[in-house]
Amino acid sequence: RFDMQGASLRGSATDGSLDAMRLSQVVVNVDDIFNPVLQLSSTGAGSLAKMVSFANTGPLKKILRPALLDVTATGRAQMDLNVSMPLKRLPTLNTVASAQANTNKSAPIPGLKINGSVFLKNNELSFGRAKLTVTEVDGAVGFTNSGIRINNLQALMGGRPVQVNSKTEGEGRSRVTEITMAGPMRASDMLDNYQIPITQFVDGESQWNVSVRIPMAASANEGIKIAAVSSLVGTRVQLPAPLGKPAGTALRMALSGTLNTNSENTEWLIDYGDTMRSLVRVNQAGLESFSARFGGGAPNPDIDAGIRLVGSVKSLGLDGWVSSVADFLDGLEPTANPKPILPVSADLKVAN
């Protein structure tokens, strides 16, 4: 339907399509044809996987693609979209710079405003670079010109309930979208997910807070930043002194690293209370190096290969460590091309 009254236009439809999404309602308004601003609102539903694909390749890709580049999804979803766009452009001088801008298809449209929401119910989402998957997702994901926003999205991760939130901060090429997940998780699952090979020494479930920071600049190559923090209450660490702890006590564990799609190597910085700080390097084959400093201070970053322990401790269960190292070696998965056992060295001062 189309109506014109004075200098205003109004159009509406109850059936249509936008790429693979079926539209059930579309309303278009132009209040003043002499100074036209298009106001469009629509509601539709369809395959969430096709919505993600449309977000990555369609007219909103400049806004959404950096965050959704490697996201895969299943199930169906509903989307509400509101767009405001001036149809009358201000005259510009015919300069070299303006000519280049006019030929740049990804240049932003002046005055364009976008506000939309995707409503999820029992969907599954996987974040490829972050190596995280959530299932039975229930809630809404909003998006504007600035990026993505999520408030109190409910989901399961590893079969346990988590709450997902997101916000976009910064301006221009400094914009960063941060996605956070909070809920009970197994430390072994968290460590194993990022190939940190000490999962056999932790047992139990604790509250974790996970942060994924994604640069929104299309050409950003610094990778995405992962950080995870837990008090480890509920998790038992089955290592000798000074690292072992029962499930009922709190001891802050924090790990952080940057994941790059163009690199097979990842560095993880792990803080374990005030006891130890370590730098762990892993690659597709597994552990490359483990550098740890006990008693405060930064770990030595110049360990190319092997395990290096330095610093001071109040106590050291030497017999237990011999047994733990043997268990660690026994737990390594056999491969067609076995690698040499990593060299181990220690320079620890034990308090009297």
Side-chain angles (χ1 to χ4, degrees):
R1 179 175 175 175
F2 174 78
D3 297 304
M4 182 172 182
Q5 185 174 2
S8 67
L9 300 175
R10 175 181 171 85
S12 63
T14 57
D15 188 27
S17 63
L18 176 63
D19 197 64
M21 184 177 67
R22 194 73 179 177
L23 300 178
S24 59
Q25 182 179 4
V26 181
V27 176
V28 179
N29 284 307
V30 177
D31 290 334
D32 183 357
I33 60 175
F34 299 104
N35 187 25
V37 177
L38 175 69
Q39 306 282 349
L40 181 147
S41 62
S42 64
T43 298
S47 161
L48 181 58
K50 291 182 178 180
M51 286 186 188
V52 172
S53 177
F54 177 71
N56 282 324
T57 60
L60 302 181
K61 66 180 181 180
K62 187 175 180 65
I63 300 169
L64 302 177
R65 180 176 170 81
L68 300 178
L69 176 63
D70 57 355
V71 170
T72 57
T74 64
R76 294 180 61 80
Q78 178 181 316
M79 184 171 76
D80 291 349
L81 177 63
N82 297 284
V83 178
S84 174
M85 181 176 64
L87 300 180
K88 184 178 181 180
R89 305 291 180 87
L90 294 175
T92 57
L93 294 176
N94 187 16
T95 64
V96 173
S98 63
Q100 290 176 341
N102 289 334
T103 59
N104 183 359
K105 295 182 180 180
S106 65
I109 300 174
L112 175 66
K113 297 179 181 179
I114 296 172
N115 193 338
S117 296
V118 177
F119 300 95
L120 308 176
K121 187 71 175 180
N122 296 326
N123 298 94
E124 179 176 311
L125 293 169
S126 293
F127 303 87
R129 284 172 294 174
K131 300 181 180 180
L132 296 171
T133 296
V134 288
T135 60
E136 297 188 27
V137 181
D138 188 358
V141 177
F143 55 92
T144 66
N145 299 62
S146 300
I148 292 175
R149 66 180 186 276
I150 302 173
N151 293 313
N152 301 325
L153 194 75
Q154 304 299 313
L156 299 180
M157 187 161 68
R160 305 293 291 136
V162 294
Q163 185 181 90
V164 183
N165 291 279
S166 177
K167 60 183 178 181
T168 301
E169 298 178 322
E171 298 291 337
R173 299 185 62 81
S174 298
R175 286 188 307 134
V176 173
T177 291
E178 181 182 27
I179 301 172
T180 60
M181 303 179 186
M185 307 175 199
R186 296 186 66 85
S188 56
D189 292 342
M190 182 65 61
L191 296 169
D192 186 57
N193 192 45
Y194 297 113
Q195 296 181 288
I196 302 173
I198 54 175
T199 58
Q200 67 201 87
F201 302 114
V202 293
D203 180 53
E205 184 179 88
S206 304
Q207 184 76 14
W208 282 84
N209 292 286
V210 181
S211 166
V212 181
R213 292 180 60 84
I214 307 168
M216 297 298 285
S219 60
N221 57 10
E222 63 267 32
I224 63 172
K225 299 183 184 299
I226 307 286
V229 181
S230 175
S231 67
L232 293 186
V233 173
T235 298
R236 181 164 63 109
V237 180
Q238 304 174 76
L239 285 170
L243 298 183
K245 80 166 211 60
T249 62
L251 196 152
R252 181 180 183 271
M253 184 179 193
L255 60 94
S256 58
T258 300
L259 302 178
N260 291 284
T261 55
N262 56 356
S263 175
E264 296 181 354
N265 302 315
T266 305
E267 288 189 354
W268 293 100
L269 185 64
I270 302 178
D271 288 334
Y272 187 70
D274 297 327
T275 304
M276 180 188 72
R277 195 172 209 201
S278 60
L279 181 65
V280 182
R281 292 190 177 102
V282 297
N283 53 36
Q284 289 186 335
L287 180 65
E288 183 176 301
S289 67
F290 183 96
S291 174
R293 180 173 292 277
F294 292 79
N300 182 358
D302 299 324
I303 306 299
D304 294 328
I307 300 172
R308 175 67 172 166
L309 312 176
V310 299
S312 59
V313 296
K314 294 180 180 179
S315 61
L316 182 65
L318 188 58
D319 291 344
W321 277 107
V322 171
S323 176
S324 295
V325 170
D327 290 341
F328 172 75
L329 296 176
D330 287 341
L332 296 178
E333 294 185 5
T335 62
N337 299 304
K339 297 195 309 179
I341 296 176
L342 294 175
V344 180
S345 63
D347 183 7
L348 296 172
K349 180 180 179 181
V350 182
N352 295 328

